[in-house]
């Protein structure tokens, strides 16, 4: 909450982070959107995702780390200070 207030003070923008996350996900491929949503919004484990999509859990972990880093850069570009 304090980071949101700080961001609003610095930028003068009162934008909901969820809207920015939705825009970020809309720019990703379908697989990335599904994996990100299932992992971070639905709380599905990496092991479960790996089994569901027949992927190596380590590969998925790397993919999720990259998506998180991309999201961080995107939010910073949008004016959110993390």
């Amino acid at each position: 909450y304090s980071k949101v207030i700080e961001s609003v003070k610095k930028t003068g923008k009162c934008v909901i982070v969820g809207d920015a996350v939705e825009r970020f996900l809309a720019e990703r491929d379908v697989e990335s959107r599904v994996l990100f949503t299932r992992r971070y919004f639905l709380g599905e484990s990496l092991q479960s995702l790996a089994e569901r999509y027949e992927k190596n859990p380590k590969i998925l972990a790397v993919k999720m780390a990259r998506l998180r880093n991309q999201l961080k850069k995107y939010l910073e570009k949008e004016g959110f200070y993390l």
Side-chain angles (χ1 to χ4, degrees), residues 19-37:
D19 292 340
V21 172
E22 284 183 24
R23 289 191 303 274
F24 167 78
L25 289 174
E27 296 176 4
R28 307 278 91 65
D29 62 273
V30 174
E31 180 183 74
S32 294
R33 286 195 307 264
V34 169
L35 289 171
F36 192 92
T37 300

Side-chain angles (χ1 to χ4, degrees), residues 9-65:
K9 286 179 183 176
K10 285 183 179 179
T11 64
K13 297 179 187 177
C14 185
V15 179
I16 298 174
V17 175
D19 292 340
V21 172
E22 284 183 24
R23 289 191 303 274
F24 167 78
L25 289 174
E27 296 176 4
R28 307 278 91 65
D29 62 273
V30 174
E31 180 183 74
S32 294
R33 286 195 307 264
V34 169
L35 289 171
F36 192 92
T37 300
R38 295 192 74 85
R39 177 73 177 121
Y40 297 112
F41 293 112
L42 302 178
E44 192 167 340
S45 71
L46 281 176
Q47 186 62 41
S48 175
L49 288 169
E51 291 170 7
R52 178 186 301 272
Y53 297 105
E54 299 177 347
K55 304 252 184 202
N56 183 317
K58 291 181 182 185
I59 291 172
L60 281 183
V62 170
K63 183 175 183 78
M64 301 311 286

